[in-house]
Amino acid sequence: MPRATLSITLPPEVWVSDLSGQYPDAEFTVLAAMPADETGVGLVEIQSSDIEQIVTAMDGYDSIVSVTLLEAQPSRALVQFETTEPLLILSLSEVGIPLELPITIRDGEVTVEITAPREKLSDLGEKLELFGIPFDLVSIRQSIDTESLLTDDQRELLETAAKRGYYDTPRTCTLTELAEAVGLAKSTTSEKLHRAEGKVMKEFLTSDDANLD
């Protein structure tokens, strides 16, 4: 399944974009977030030398329904908040993509990593454009779910082979040494390894071709 990295510029009218723009050295790390009826509830860790001013300013935005200071230190605060503008959460939830946390916002910019089918990534792009949220696709790579693709024995064999250097260049572990390590005959090890490698390669190539269509 594709895993995409997006660099998102939050609209200046969104409170966290405006606030982080006023304090460009501050970091707003969202630890938890969820939609709640017509609002969104989140937990954010703020790191800055201007903690008191930032928390006070945060409570002053019209789009902020409530602010609860859970923990405060000279340069760090843990804040629970509710907002009427959870644009990023809404964009993801409306296309069925979970928000992978934590994410850190600095000066109105945030980088998010998303794992989703190609169709949903396309839907997300359209939704972000609808909300007026500029974004750049930093990277996209293919991930393979080996837990569902391979049996436990096959996955363990591949992991052992990789750890012992069987796939290194130059190879630092021979097939004979690998067979001894896993307690199997050399021929059995070769056959199991070949089958596991074949499954991974076929899955990778099939998924990769689908992404290029």
Side-chain angles (χ1 to χ4, degrees):
M1 186 176 294
R3 183 170 179 81
T5 300
L6 301 179
S7 176
I8 297 175
T9 302
L10 298 175
E13 61 270 18
V14 176
W15 72 269
V16 69
S17 177
D18 181 70
L19 185 56
S20 62
Q22 294 181 43
Y23 299 90
D25 294 330
E27 291 187 356
F28 298 75
T29 301
V30 181
L31 304 176
M34 61 178 293
D37 295 328
E38 297 181 355
T39 63
V41 178
L43 182 66
V44 62
E45 179 185 63
I46 306 171
Q47 296 191 41
S48 172
S49 57
D50 302 302
I51 286 295
E52 185 176 349
Q53 297 95 314
I54 289 176
V55 174
T56 300
M58 182 177 173
D59 197 26
Y61 285 91
D62 292 338
S63 57
I64 293 294
V65 178
S66 65
V67 172
T68 303
L69 184 61
L70 302 178
E71 183 180 328
Q73 298 177 9
S75 59
R76 174 185 173 276
L78 190 62
V79 179
Q80 180 176 306
F81 65 93
E82 184 176 359
T83 176
T84 58
E85 294 180 344
L87 296 187
L88 189 54
I89 301 174
L90 289 177
S91 301
L92 291 166
S93 63
E94 286 189 13
V95 297
I97 299 177
L99 178 60
E100 298 183 27
L101 299 172
I103 57 173
T104 299
I105 301 166
R106 299 183 186 89
D107 197 11
E109 302 280 342
V110 58
T111 298
V112 298
E113 292 202 351
I114 299 167
T115 302
R118 182 177 52 130
E119 295 78 11
K120 287 189 178 294
L121 291 176
S122 178
D123 291 343
L124 175 61
E126 294 178 1
K127 188 64 64 175
L128 290 175
E129 291 177 357
L130 180 64
F131 281 132
I133 303 177
F135 69 93
D136 291 317
L137 179 61
V138 178
S139 67
I140 186 167
R141 57 190 184 276
Q142 183 68 30
S143 62
I144 298 176
D145 184 6
T146 58
E147 290 191 5
S148 61
L149 180 66
L150 304 174
T151 66
D152 291 342
D153 288 343
Q154 288 175 328
R155 186 170 62 253
E156 184 177 348
L157 179 57
L158 285 180
E159 290 175 350
T160 301
K163 290 177 181 178
R164 288 183 171 269
Y166 182 77
Y167 295 113
D168 290 353
T169 303
R171 182 170 287 174
T172 57
C173 175
T174 66
L175 180 60
T176 299
E177 292 170 336
L178 178 60
E180 292 176 353
V182 296
L184 297 173
K186 182 178 178 180
S187 59
T188 303
T189 302
S190 177
E191 182 182 355
K192 286 193 171 184
L193 201 59
H194 181 71
R195 287 183 178 177
E197 291 168 343
K199 284 185 177 181
V200 173
M201 288 302 298
K202 287 178 181 178
E203 175 70 14
F204 176 80
L205 293 173
T206 300
S207 300
D208 197 43
D209 287 343
N211 288 331
L212 296 175
D213 288 344

